Amino acid sequence: MKSRVKVICRGIVQGIGFRPFVYRFAKKLNLTGFVRNQGDAGVQIIAEGPKEDLDKFVNFLKYDKPYLAKYEDFQVMWESFQNEFTKFEILSSSVKKVGGVSYLPPDISICVDCLKDMQKTDNDRFNYAFTSCAICGPRYTTITSLPYDRPNTTMIDFPLCYMCKSEYDNPLDRRHHAQTTCCAKCGPTLTLHNKNGSKIKTKDLYNEIVKLISEGNIITIKGIGGTHLACSAVDAEPILRLRTRKGKRKHKPFAVISKSIDEIRKFASVNAIEAQLLVSHRRPIVLLEKKQPFPLSEWIAPELFNIGVMLPYSGIHSLILDMLNDPALILTSANPSNVPMYIKNKQILSNVDDLADYILLHNRRIHQRADDSVIRLSNDNPVLIRRSRGWVPEPINLPFNLKDYVSLGVGPLLTSTGAIAMTNRCFPTQYIGNVDTLETLDFLESAINHLGSLLGVDSYKIIGYDLHPNFFSTKLAKKYATENNADLLQIQHHHAHAASLMIDNQLPIEEEIVAIIADGVGYGIDGVIWGGEIFHTTYKGFKRIGHLEEQPMIGGDRATYYPIRMVAGILSKILSEDEIYRLLTKNYPDSLPGGDNEIRVLLTQLEKNINVSSTTSTGRILATVSALLKACYERTYEGEPAIILESLAYNGNPKGVSFKIPEADNGIIDTTSLIHQALEFYNSGVRPANIAAAVHSEIANQFANAAIKYAKSNSIRKIGFTGGVAYNDMISRQIFKKVKDAKLEFLQHKSLPCGDGGISSGQSVIAALSKNE
């Protein structure tokens, strides 16, 4: 008996070779009908044929889909046979929508088959850097509108040649309807320029680039979703030049790129989980433990035990690395600090002459920039530090439905993103960076608008933003509220952190948890800078049940740059002014740029309470210990003192360093005793690495003990850990152990960053739920 079936697929079903996949199996079963993309990134299929074959067809689509496909909804509707079709075909895309929420895949790393094409001398794509097919290549960074068809991407500038058009039109070819497919005859081209912008002619482009790098030059490379600076990872001289040219990059680590896992293993340890992350289609930067002795330059990641490494994700990278003899190249974003990556050729040529010696450009437009994603293992689980290329625009599923309330979170100040929450999904934007300049603010707005257009957002009903009154993102929130006639909701920073953790663990609306939120800075409801918090929290509210002791920040924000100021402020609760002066001048004379004079001034500030603010920040306590142990006196990048302290602790043993900290009184964890005892251990000759390890353990224990005590007395079964300090493997691992030993469930992040990159998602959901009461 013949029948007819209509299938609606929502999720990641466009841009991954899904239609050719459907076509080939339908032809195999001799079905008739069609498959086509819809205007909202969904796919519609109608097929007719014997009922038995249609059952096979539906089951095949449901359970044997392409590996990149992801169904958010798979709707099957049976109808009576109408004998409407004579064959099965792929129809042109429709602007009509199938409803629900669908979305594009992220940019996908070049596949093995395309790499093989590039390596064959008799192939038309031999050494062609922009080779791609239906299952690989750029997606999010090239699309301008839906449906995902070539005219709606930046590839509209490159009409297909006869060969590429034949492949594109052939349903049995792996480049059928591959929107970014092209070859050397019809696709983008690469050009090499000197720093003055003049073109350089060369017969062997990739060998020439490697030769220039080996000679100590810094090369700008325009890639898939952004522009990088590349230089030798072995020679210190170009690395130091790069640090100077980038500005504010005195010690901040650079990432490196290697051609293979085998090459990576020459300078870093790679376990099975890390290897899987490295070779995945997302191709993130993965933080790996350095091997000792470390064969690359110490200036790549100074004073750190780990290094960020990625494998090539584009043909450009692969072709360059194939010619390289060294195990790795430095690859960092081509922009001065606090300015988004340059992506337009004119902009690159006019701005990077101060950064690079040579410039490699191509003529394909980048519609949306996307920085490289960064990931590391914490407590043996992958946690995202930066969620961008390879992930965006994939959503975070919500375990509840927001119905008609489309909401927006605009994020905080640092390492920011935006996020849109709608129906049962939350869509974070790509990584934006620190929103402290007009350029990054414009980037944030552009990213939100682009994502909103792809999701078909007509308007927002409510905008969530940070409690801090002076953030640039607050101005953007108010602008969106005016344009959309939307409500505004201020959301406390750490509550947004807790909500993002709950989203990430698929917790229902009514769930209550105890959340430990540890980071560097977040504006508290009392006007104090928070950052070492324990909340009894739900999505809709929180109770602050514990926190680190408030400590003075002498000089306000200057104490975040020179943590010896925190040492002085904390020890002033125990030591006299004269004792602190003698301590700093005798034991830490080089800890402040102003020397003795600055020490005297800060003590006067403390005595007269001039520009002295308060904080409960965990980041400040870790930075204090870092300065106390002479590991780091100056913060030249975000989190540096704490990060260096973790590296010091990595080689330490906490056994034998026993702190005697009183139990938290009224939920307040005593950090004055912690710092004073750490100083006593240090003065008695205890190895600094052992003190650092013991401090990590003690902070974790104090947080865990307070959280467990409250959870058990209030019948709460889940304890979570979030905030930037949650990236710290030693602290995360110890909290997990304590929670597990207490027979409670431990929550940590899975798909959203622990740090401020997850704030916007928490904001968007808190805001939406405030309208769903």
Side-chain angles (χ1 to χ4, degrees):
M1 184 180 75
K2 290 192 173 183
S3 187
R4 175 185 173 109
V5 68
K6 181 179 181 180
V7 180
I8 302 295
C9 303
R10 303 181 183 93
I12 299 181
V13 286
Q14 289 191 21
I16 54 165
F18 187 73
R19 288 176 298 170
F21 164 81
V22 173
Y23 173 88
R24 285 191 287 270
F25 196 67
K27 293 291 286 185
K28 183 177 179 180
L29 295 173
N30 293 315
L31 303 178
T32 61
F34 68 84
V35 57
R36 70 178 171 201
N37 283 345
Q38 299 298 117
D40 55 358
V43 168
Q44 181 186 42
I45 304 162
I46 294 179
E48 292 188 336
K51 179 66 166 59
E52 181 180 349
D53 290 337
L54 290 175
D55 284 333
K56 291 179 184 178
F57 179 64
V58 170
N59 285 332
F60 182 77
L61 294 181
K62 191 170 185 178
Y63 299 111
D64 293 287
K65 61 186 183 295
Y67 81 100
L68 290 173
K70 183 178 179 181
Y71 296 146
E72 301 294 348
D73 188 23
F74 187 85
Q75 188 176 354
V76 178
M77 293 156 281
W78 291 97
E79 300 172 352
S80 58
F81 178 68
Q82 297 179 25
N83 199 24
E84 183 179 352
F85 312 104
T86 59
K87 60 182 179 179
F88 196 93
E89 56 187 333
I90 299 175
L91 297 185
S92 299
S93 298
S94 170
V95 295
K96 293 181 180 180
K97 300 180 179 181
V98 297
V101 177
S102 292
Y103 44 91
L104 288 175
D107 287 8
I108 302 164
S109 64
I110 188 168
C111 71
V112 173
D113 288 334
C114 284
L115 285 173
K116 289 178 179 177
D117 289 344
M118 291 164 54
Q119 293 164 354
K120 295 176 182 175
T121 55
D122 59 346
N123 192 289
D124 289 309
R125 292 183 176 85
F126 173 66
N127 274 0
Y128 184 59
F130 301 92
T131 301
S132 67
C133 68
I135 64 165
C136 76
R139 299 292 190 271
Y140 185 69
T141 55
T142 61
I143 188 168
T144 56
S145 63
L146 289 174
Y148 179 61
D149 288 319
R150 196 177 182 94
N152 295 332
T153 73
T154 58
M155 291 302 293
I156 192 175
D157 301 334
F158 303 97
L160 292 167
C161 67
Y162 177 80
M163 180 195 76
C164 290
K165 185 70 164 60
S166 299
E167 294 172 336
Y168 185 89
D169 290 337
N170 181 3
L172 301 180
D173 194 283
R174 67 186 179 88
R175 292 191 169 93
H176 179 55
H177 281 225
Q179 308 306 341
T180 57
T181 190
C182 54
C183 70
K185 293 178 183 176
C186 63
T189 55
L190 287 164
T191 52
L192 183 63
H193 304 252
N194 63 24
K195 65 185 304 179
N196 298 318
S198 301
K199 289 185 180 179
I200 298 173
K201 293 183 179 180
T202 176
K203 292 182 179 180
D204 192 338
L205 177 63
Y206 307 108
N207 262 323
E208 181 66 19
I209 291 167
V210 171
K211 176 175 172 288
L212 291 171
I213 289 172
S214 69
E215 291 171 350
N217 291 292
I218 299 169
I219 314 290
T220 294
I221 300 174
K222 183 182 178 185
I224 299 303
T227 309
H228 291 96
L229 295 168
C231 73
S232 169
V234 177
D235 186 357
E237 193 275 331
I239 300 173
L240 292 172
R241 266 193 293 121
L242 180 59
R243 290 195 173 281
T244 301
R245 292 179 183 183
K246 285 273 286 183
K248 296 183 180 180
R249 204 68 192 245
K250 189 175 180 181
H251 295 124
K252 189 175 182 180
F254 291 128
V256 300
I257 187 168
S258 293
K259 72 175 89 175
S260 68
I261 294 281
D262 287 341
E263 290 297 309
I264 294 172
R265 287 197 167 109
K266 291 179 180 178
F267 60 86
S269 300
V270 186
N271 68 26
I273 300 173
E274 292 161 341
Q276 189 175 18
L277 292 168
L278 284 164
V279 302
S280 72
H281 68 273
R282 303 183 190 278
R283 294 290 166 99
I285 297 169
V286 182
L287 296 192
L288 304 172
E289 181 185 351
K290 292 177 180 175
K291 282 188 174 177
Q292 297 300 335
F294 186 59
L296 306 183
S297 170
E298 63 176 336
W299 286 104
I300 296 173
E303 305 297 326
L304 302 184
F305 74 94
N306 53 14
I307 181 173
V309 189
M310 62 180 153
L311 290 173
Y313 55 87
S314 75
I316 299 171
H317 301 139
S318 295
L319 290 166
I320 293 172
L321 289 168
D322 281 346
M323 304 296 171
L324 186 72
N325 290 323
D326 293 336
L329 281 179
I330 282 181
L331 204 66
T332 187
S333 57
N335 54 281
S337 298
N338 298 331
V339 175
M341 274 193 301
Y342 300 128
I343 56 174
K344 295 180 179 178
N345 285 4
K346 287 183 179 179
Q347 187 185 43
I348 295 168
L349 287 169
S350 61
N351 286 284
V352 303
D353 56 335
D354 292 331
L355 297 173
D357 303 303
Y358 294 90
I359 304 162
L360 181 65
L361 295 179
H362 61 74
N363 57 341
R364 180 168 66 192
R365 290 178 290 125
I366 297 173
H367 187 66
Q368 274 287 307
R369 62 173 64 80
D371 286 81
D372 299 315
S373 295
V374 184
I375 200 164
R376 72 169 290 184
L377 295 190
S378 178
N379 190 34
D380 297 325
N381 291 295
V383 289
L384 280 157
I385 296 173
R386 182 193 295 168
R387 186 183 188 273
S388 202
R389 176 190 54 76
W391 269 268
V392 175
E394 289 182 9
I396 307 300
N397 291 342
L398 303 177
F400 41 77
N401 199 311
L402 302 173
K403 301 176 184 176
D404 297 329
Y405 291 98
V406 180
S407 64
L408 172 66
V410 295
L413 174 70
L414 303 176
T415 61
S416 193
T417 60
I420 298 168
M422 56 191 297
T423 64
N424 58 348
R425 305 284 184 273
C426 178
F427 292 86
T429 68
Q430 68 269 43
Y431 169 82
I432 304 299
N434 295 348
V435 186
D436 54 4
T437 64
L438 292 176
E439 291 89 349
T440 49
L441 184 65
D442 288 344
F443 178 25
L444 174 61
E445 184 175 5
S446 168
I448 290 171
N449 290 343
H450 182 59
L451 184 59
S453 71
L454 294 182
L455 295 173
V457 174
D458 296 320
S459 64
Y460 302 104
K461 294 203 173 180
I462 187 166
I463 318 293
Y465 65 107
D466 197 272
L467 200 61
H468 197 290
N470 298 325
F471 283 177
F472 274 30
S473 55
T474 297
K475 298 177 183 178
L476 183 60
K478 292 178 178 178
K479 178 181 178 182
Y480 277 119
T482 301
E483 292 174 349
N484 291 268
N485 192 27
D487 293 332
L488 282 164
L489 182 66
Q490 281 190 299
I491 298 167
Q492 201 280 323
H493 184 92
H494 300 98
H495 185 211
H497 265 308
S500 75
L501 178 66
M502 295 175 73
I503 295 164
D504 220 354
N505 285 273
Q506 297 290 290
L507 301 187
I509 292 176
E510 65 278 4
E511 188 80 59
E512 299 179 26
I513 70 167
V514 174
I516 302 166
I517 312 110
D519 62 4
V521 57
Y523 197 76
I525 58 176
D526 56 0
V528 172
I529 301 301
W530 291 2
E533 311 305 309
I534 306 174
F535 286 179
H536 176 177
T537 188
T538 67
Y539 288 110
K540 296 187 178 183
F542 69 93
K543 177 184 176 183
R544 191 187 191 201
I545 58 175
H547 58 83
L548 298 186
E549 177 186 358
E550 285 188 18
Q551 298 291 4
M553 296 174 64
I554 306 174
D557 198 44
R558 189 168 175 81
T560 70
Y561 289 95
Y562 299 100
I564 203 72
R565 289 174 164 267
M566 292 297 304
V567 173
I570 293 171
L571 291 179
S572 70
K573 296 180 178 182
I574 295 176
L575 305 179
S576 69
E577 183 178 323
D578 286 343
E579 287 174 319
I580 294 172
Y581 176 76
R582 286 195 298 270
L583 174 70
L584 298 188
T585 53
K586 180 181 178 182
N587 295 349
Y588 303 95
D590 302 322
S591 60
L592 290 168
D596 183 82
N597 184 57
E598 186 169 352
I599 292 171
R600 292 180 183 275
V601 170
L602 75 84
L603 290 174
T604 301
Q605 285 181 291
L606 181 63
E607 179 189 7
K608 297 183 178 181
N609 197 29
I610 300 171
N611 192 21
V612 178
S613 52
S614 295
T615 183
T616 63
S617 164
T618 311
R620 297 290 74 76
I621 295 301
L622 293 171
T624 301
V625 179
S626 193
L628 194 74
L629 300 180
K630 301 183 179 181
C632 181
Y633 284 150
E634 180 187 5
R635 191 198 91 196
T636 65
Y637 61 88
E638 195 63 38
E640 180 181 6
I643 292 168
I644 289 177
L645 184 70
E646 182 189 6
S647 288
L648 179 64
Y650 189 79
N651 294 310
N653 185 345
K655 293 180 180 179
V657 183
S658 179
F659 288 96
K660 295 178 175 61
I661 309 297
E663 185 175 338
D665 182 23
N666 295 322
I668 299 174
I669 297 170
D670 178 358
T671 51
T672 300
S673 297
L674 178 76
I675 299 304
H676 186 230
Q677 290 174 37
L679 175 63
E680 290 180 328
F681 283 126
Y682 183 67
N683 288 338
S684 67
V686 176
R687 186 169 168 252
N690 293 347
I691 300 172
V695 166
H696 280 76
S697 180
E698 184 64 27
I699 289 173
N701 288 337
Q702 291 287 339
F703 273 133
N705 290 341
I708 290 166
K709 181 178 178 181
Y710 183 90
K712 287 194 169 184
S713 63
N714 288 272
S715 301
I716 297 173
R717 303 299 306 165
K718 294 180 175 69
I719 295 177
F721 186 33
T722 184
V725 177
Y727 292 126
N728 187 301
D729 182 53
M730 297 180 74
I731 295 176
S732 291
R733 192 178 293 273
Q734 181 63 14
I735 293 176
F736 164 73
K737 181 180 182 300
K738 296 280 289 186
V739 172
K740 183 181 178 183
D741 289 346
K743 296 183 169 43
L744 297 174
E745 183 180 345
F746 180 71
L747 305 177
Q748 69 179 98
H749 282 280
K750 300 180 175 90
S751 302
L752 284 170
C754 305
D756 285 4
I759 289 282
S760 62
S761 295
Q763 289 174 338
S764 66
V765 170
I766 291 170
L769 290 176
S770 74
K771 297 288 288 182
N772 269 273
E773 295 188 23

